[in-house]
């Protein structure tokens, strides 16, 4: 039975599921594109004769473009819907990888990463919009979580098959193949995805229990001032939570993990790929568990979930760095598990944003929160590369375990800064909502 709004009263139909499958497959490819340097960082450094700071610049530029495009992409999604924006995103990523495949210099390679970041920015928000318009509102939270989990398989593809293809063929063939897949998925997205069911003439979310209809808008509402969202300590708590929890894992899996494990720790490519794959798999397993715990203990999630996850990462890195000589494989797997806690813990930040902001300000608060994670990741990736260069260990031929140890210590100030502000803003938030008494005036 189908309601007048176009969504079956019993749930989404086969076409909705087909659209989601195509969209989430495009998202998996976007993750492959985003992570495509994670397993081939040493190869990239050798190809472009790039020092560590330059290599980190590839990831920094890409992430900066991804973050900077979120508001423009939201505005474009409002105006044109998911289908054309996702199609353009896939084309931009394909052009970026084709440019990377043929790039003769660092400058051209950086342009390639700009294209990748811009295209990547369009995909996940587009998938979220399709979920909101094609699935009942009650099912959207589960579909979003499931989409995120499935999407992370793209990191596994980038870590193992992509690296194997590169070492079996060539740089041009490998990145050219990803570009070809990008064009294929651009065609599939354009042919199979529709902005909304044909029975409706706008992108709306439907609650099939109550019949309530809500217009789907962009990820960030530019009509609401960011200043108003930032003024609430709950938003600042969300920002610092997302700033502090995930950056170490992002820096590790996006760029510096493979060089550290192979050139620094002396592990084989297969062993290093297994460690990085453990990071991805554990994150996928922990995510739903931590999400359920966040739902059950909403007043304690910063103290019980976010701060412990940050502390575990800090301790794990200190143990690995302080270990005399190369770390045993079991300890490196322990590091991967510790870092994997950061991603799920960072998602609690969006629970903060949703809990402590009114509906009309939620999208802006979410955008502010998301910026925290990108900012910390950019700083961490760049500082690690800069620290390697300053030690004279900026190229694969000069990488040493000692240099990597000092370089990864640059993450400690970020953890301490973020952890301090989490504690401060948590206290301010509790006072704001009446859970703790105001501080007595001096």
């Amino acid at each position: 039975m189908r309601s007048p709004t176009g969504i079956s009263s019993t749930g989404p139909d086969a076409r909705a599921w087909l659209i989601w499958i195509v969209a989430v497959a495009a998202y998996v490819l976007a993750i492959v594109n985003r992570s495509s340097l994670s397993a081939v960082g040493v190869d990239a450094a050798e190809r472009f004769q790039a020092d560590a700071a330059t290599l980190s610049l590839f990831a920094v530029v890409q992430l900066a473009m991804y973050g900077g495009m979120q508001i423009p992409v939201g505005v474009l999604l409002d105006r044109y819907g998911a289908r054309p924006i996702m199609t353009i995103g896939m084309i931009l990523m394909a052009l970026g990888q084709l440019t990377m495949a043929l790039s003769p210099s660092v400058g051209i390679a950086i342009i390639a990463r700009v294209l990748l970041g811009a295209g990547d920015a369009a995909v996940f928000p587009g998938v979220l919009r399709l979920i909101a318009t094609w699935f009942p509102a009650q099912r959207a939270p589960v579909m979003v979580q499931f989409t995120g989990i499935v999407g992370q398989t793209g990191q596994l593809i980038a870590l193992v098959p992509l690296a194997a293809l590169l070492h079996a063929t060539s740089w041009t063939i490998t990145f050219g193949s990803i570009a070809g897949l990008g064009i294929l998925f651009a065609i599939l997205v354009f042919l199979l995805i529709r902005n909304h069911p044909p029975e409706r003439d706008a992108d709306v979310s439907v609650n099939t229990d109550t019949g309530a209809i809500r217009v789907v808008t962009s990820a960030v509402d530019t009509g609401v001032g960011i200043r108003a969202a930032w003024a609430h300590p709950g938003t600042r708590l969300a920002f610092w939570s997302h700033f502090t929890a995930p950056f170490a894992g992002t820096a590790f899996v996006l760029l510096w993990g493979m060089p550290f494990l192979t050139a620094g720790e002396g592990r084989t490519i297969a062993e290093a790929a297994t460690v990085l794959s453990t990071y991805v798999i554990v994150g996928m397993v922990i995510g739903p568990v931590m999400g359920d715990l966040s739902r059950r203990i909403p007043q304690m999630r910063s103290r019980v979930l976010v701060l412990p996850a940050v502390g575990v990462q800090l301790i794990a890195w200190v143990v690995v760095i302080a270990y005399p000589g190369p770390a045993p494989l079991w300890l490196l797997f322990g590091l991967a598990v510790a870092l994997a806690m950061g991603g799920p813990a960072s998602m609690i930040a969006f629970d903060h944003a949703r809990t402590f902001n009114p509906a009309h300000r939620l999208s802006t608060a979410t955008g502010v929160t998301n910026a925290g994670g990108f900012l910390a990741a950019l700083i961490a990736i760049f500082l690690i590369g800069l620290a390697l260069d300053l030690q004279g260990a900026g190229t694969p031929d000069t990488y040493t375990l000692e240099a990597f140890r000092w370089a990864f210590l640059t993450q400690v100030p970020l953890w301490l800064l973020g952890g301090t502000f989490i504690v401060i803003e948590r206290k301010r938030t509790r006072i704001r909502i009446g859970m703790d008494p105001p501080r007595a005036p001096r």
Side-chain angles (χ1 to χ4, degrees):
M1 179 178 178
R2 182 170 294 277
S3 69
T5 57
I7 292 182
S8 170
S9 60
T10 59
D13 58 16
R15 186 174 188 182
W17 284 109
L18 174 63
I19 287 174
W20 178 81
I21 289 171
V22 173
V24 81
Y27 178 50
V28 170
L29 182 58
I31 297 292
V32 173
N33 280 283
R34 185 188 307 172
S35 309
S36 56
L37 282 184
S38 60
V40 299
V42 174
D43 302 89
E46 292 175 345
R47 175 179 175 85
F48 298 110
Q49 297 298 300
D51 58 22
T54 302
L55 190 61
S56 67
L57 188 61
F58 288 160
V60 167
V61 166
Q62 179 182 336
L63 287 177
M65 179 58 66
Y66 181 98
M69 285 295 294
Q70 290 302 302
I71 292 178
V73 163
V75 173
L76 291 171
L77 282 170
D78 276 346
R79 182 166 184 178
Y80 299 108
R83 178 194 182 200
I85 303 307
M86 289 183 65
T87 301
I88 293 171
M90 300 308 297
I91 293 173
L92 286 175
M93 284 190 288
L95 290 175
Q97 293 292 31
L98 181 61
T99 303
M100 200 72 178
L102 303 175
S103 174
S105 64
V106 169
I108 301 300
I110 288 176
I111 294 174
R113 305 313 287 185
V114 168
L115 291 171
L116 279 174
D120 186 13
V123 178
F124 187 58
V127 179
L128 296 185
R129 192 180 188 92
L130 290 171
I131 289 173
T133 54
W134 281 92
F135 289 81
Q138 306 95 305
R139 190 171 295 192
V142 175
M143 293 300 299
V144 170
Q145 289 284 347
F146 190 41
T147 297
I149 292 172
V150 174
Q152 295 314 303
T153 59
Q155 290 187 333
L156 298 178
I157 296 172
L159 287 171
V160 183
L162 186 63
L165 178 62
L166 174 62
H167 296 138
T169 56
S170 67
W171 181 276
T172 301
I173 291 175
T174 300
F175 285 88
S177 299
I178 305 176
L181 285 174
I183 294 299
L184 172 62
F185 271 90
I187 294 172
L188 289 175
V189 166
F190 185 78
L191 291 179
L192 299 178
I193 285 180
R194 293 295 180 269
N195 289 342
H196 48 74
E199 296 85 357
R200 287 185 262 148
D201 57 2
D203 289 1
V204 297
S205 175
V206 181
N207 187 316
T208 53
D209 287 341
T210 65
I213 299 176
R214 180 181 62 86
V215 176
V216 176
T217 57
S218 61
V220 177
D221 184 357
T222 55
V224 179
I226 293 177
R227 183 180 301 176
W230 184 256
H232 196 294
T235 304
R236 300 195 297 271
L237 174 61
F239 173 90
W240 288 110
S241 298
H242 203 250
F243 178 98
T244 313
F247 73 82
T250 301
F252 193 75
V253 76
L254 198 62
L255 185 60
W256 289 118
M258 185 64 75
F260 166 70
L261 293 170
T262 54
E265 292 285 351
R267 295 295 169 181
T268 66
I269 293 177
E271 288 173 333
T274 304
V275 171
L276 291 171
S277 298
T278 299
Y279 165 87
V280 178
I281 294 170
V282 171
M284 294 167 65
V285 172
I286 291 177
V289 176
M290 199 166 288
D292 186 60
L293 288 174
S294 177
R295 178 181 62 84
R296 292 173 182 270
I297 51 172
Q299 310 303 333
M300 301 176 63
R301 49 198 176 198
S302 293
R303 188 172 64 185
V304 175
L305 298 175
V306 178
L307 288 173
V310 172
V312 167
Q313 293 177 77
L314 174 57
I315 292 170
W317 259 125
V318 169
V319 171
V320 170
I321 290 171
Y323 194 89
L329 196 57
W330 64 265
L331 183 54
L332 296 175
F333 278 115
L335 174 65
V337 172
L339 294 178
M341 296 177 65
S346 73
M347 299 305 290
I348 294 171
F350 296 106
D351 292 335
H352 290 318
R354 182 179 64 254
T355 302
F356 300 122
N357 281 275
H360 71 272
R361 204 167 62 207
L362 175 59
S363 54
T364 299
T366 299
V368 171
T369 301
N370 206 23
F374 287 110
L375 178 61
L378 296 180
I379 295 171
I381 290 171
F382 180 74
L383 287 180
I384 293 168
L386 180 61
L388 288 171
D389 275 352
L390 292 176
Q391 297 175 83
T395 61
D397 293 337
T398 58
Y399 287 159
T400 65
L401 180 55
E402 191 68 18
F404 272 115
R405 285 171 168 169
W406 285 107
F408 280 114
L409 280 175
T410 61
Q411 300 174 112
V412 173
L414 295 176
W415 277 315
L416 296 179
L417 175 68
T420 299
F421 275 104
I422 288 174
V423 172
I424 292 172
E425 298 301 346
R426 178 179 185 271
K427 182 65 175 178
R428 289 174 175 171
T429 300
R430 291 175 65 86
I431 293 173
R432 177 71 171 265
I433 64 177
M435 292 189 64
D436 289 345
R439 292 185 178 90
R442 293 182 180 179

